[in-house]
Amino acid sequence: MFFGYEKWRAYEAKIVKQFDYVIAVVSEMKDRLIEQHQLSPEKIVIVANAEKKEFAKNFEQEAPNYFLQYPDKFIISYVGGFGPHRGLHTAIQGMKIIKEQLPNALLVLVGPANKDVTNHLQQLMVKNQVENAIIIKGSVPFNEVINIMKSSQLNIIPHTSNEHTESAVPHKFFQILLSGKPLLVSDCKPMKRLVIDYQIGSYFEAESPESFAEAVIDIATNYNVAMKKAANGTKHSLEGNLNWEHLSANLVHFYDNFKK
């Protein structure tokens, strides 16, 4: 009901044509709006949902390692919603392969989830015999989310490929860059483009547990390389153009010209 893309597409087509301008968060969304709804390119302004530079101060605050109770574990963290497009099933299935080569790997799932969703994920864990390699924490306060990102060996965004994920980048993408820890994303076009162009992370084939596992194992095996990419992410966020201060210039320029 909630992820019926044909209904959303029809609603979107109706809405975007009612207004003089549309703000898109990535170039892929602009391309989709032009192709699907025949919008004029001049009608669309790209304003990425990047994080402010000052967000990095959250990671500078002193806090004990969130995973002190797991000193010998390779922590793989997911933070976000538990909806079907988030790709958690891919990560869970991939852990069955990962634990064979990385027996100390531990997947931690953090975010709001109702009882039915949690039960479904737990059943998937049992089916793949990875109950001991995965923890479902549910919702936590935001300051803990910051510490989880910073305390993890790897942060993941395993989104499935669909019309939404192929034309958007989640806010946490930019937050993870500021954490200074490695980032692994599925190959949805906007995220894949960013990690390749800026050399700030790694990617795997969406909805492929095998590809996910291969990428995680490669990162763990070549962790120095992964940390160099993470450092690139922080540098581009603070000194480059992957921040709100730089990317919001499009919005300011749009408003200035709109007034004229």
Side-chain angles (χ1 to χ4, degrees):
M1 180 186 296
F2 295 108
F3 291 90
Y5 290 105
E6 291 185 4
K7 293 181 180 179
W8 278 110
R9 193 185 306 117
Y11 181 72
E12 180 182 68
K14 176 182 177 182
I15 292 299
V16 295
K17 292 176 181 177
Q18 291 181 6
F19 296 90
D20 298 310
Y21 295 96
V22 174
I23 295 175
V25 295
V26 288
S27 58
E28 288 83 358
M29 179 181 285
K30 178 178 180 178
D31 293 342
R32 183 177 64 78
L33 291 174
I34 294 171
E35 180 181 352
Q36 286 189 350
H37 307 310
Q38 292 75 53
L39 290 188
S40 167
E42 290 73 27
K43 183 175 179 175
I44 306 170
V45 181
I46 299 176
V47 182
N49 58 340
E51 190 58 81
K52 292 182 178 179
K53 293 181 183 181
E54 65 182 27
F55 190 84
K57 295 179 180 178
N58 290 293
F59 294 107
E60 297 171 359
Q61 297 177 6
E62 290 295 328
N65 187 319
Y66 192 85
F67 301 106
L68 275 176
Q69 68 271 44
Y70 307 108
D72 301 320
K73 296 291 187 180
F74 184 86
I75 306 295
I76 306 163
S77 290
Y78 168 82
V79 176
F82 281 22
H85 66 295
R86 306 287 185 170
L88 299 187
H89 58 286
T90 303
I92 291 173
Q93 292 166 343
M95 285 301 293
K96 183 175 182 179
I97 304 169
I98 292 169
K99 72 173 189 174
E100 294 176 359
Q101 295 191 46
L102 294 175
N104 65 327
L106 180 65
L107 175 62
V108 181
L109 306 179
V110 182
N114 61 39
K115 186 176 180 180
D116 290 338
V117 171
T118 300
N119 287 341
H120 170 71
L121 295 179
Q122 288 173 337
Q123 290 171 10
L124 196 59
M125 289 159 55
V126 172
K127 181 180 179 180
N128 287 275
Q129 300 177 327
V130 291
E131 308 99 296
N132 297 327
I134 301 175
I135 295 174
I136 300 178
K137 289 197 68 68
S139 297
V140 300
F142 189 68
N143 64 318
E144 290 187 24
V145 168
I146 297 297
N147 198 12
I148 287 171
M149 289 181 178
K150 186 171 75 169
S151 300
S152 302
Q153 276 68 52
L154 176 62
N155 291 280
I156 63 172
I157 306 178
H159 287 179
T160 61
S161 175
N162 56 55
E163 287 186 39
H164 169 62
T165 58
E166 292 288 355
S167 58
V169 173
H171 199 56
K172 64 188 169 187
F173 179 98
F174 299 98
Q175 294 176 343
I176 292 170
L177 295 183
L178 289 168
S179 75
K181 287 302 183 71
L183 167 68
L184 174 63
V185 302
S186 64
D187 61 352
C188 296
K189 291 178 183 177
M191 295 194 295
K192 179 181 177 181
R193 170 174 56 82
L194 289 172
V195 299
I196 291 177
D197 288 353
Y198 292 93
Q199 286 298 294
I200 55 178
S202 302
Y203 66 91
F204 67 95
E205 183 184 346
E207 298 185 70
S208 170
E210 295 79 13
S211 180
F212 173 78
E214 182 180 353
V216 171
I217 293 168
D218 180 68
I219 290 169
T221 304
N222 303 284
Y223 200 65
N224 287 339
V225 175
M227 284 299 290
K228 286 180 181 178
K229 290 181 179 180
N232 283 342
T234 303
K235 183 176 181 179
H236 282 296
S237 297
L238 295 177
E239 302 174 18
N241 56 15
L242 293 182
N243 54 68
W244 177 249
E245 285 82 354
H246 176 84
L247 295 172
S248 61
N250 278 353
L251 187 62
V252 175
H253 178 74
F254 164 68
Y255 286 148
D256 286 342
N257 284 276
F258 183 76
K259 288 190 295 183
K260 293 175 185 178

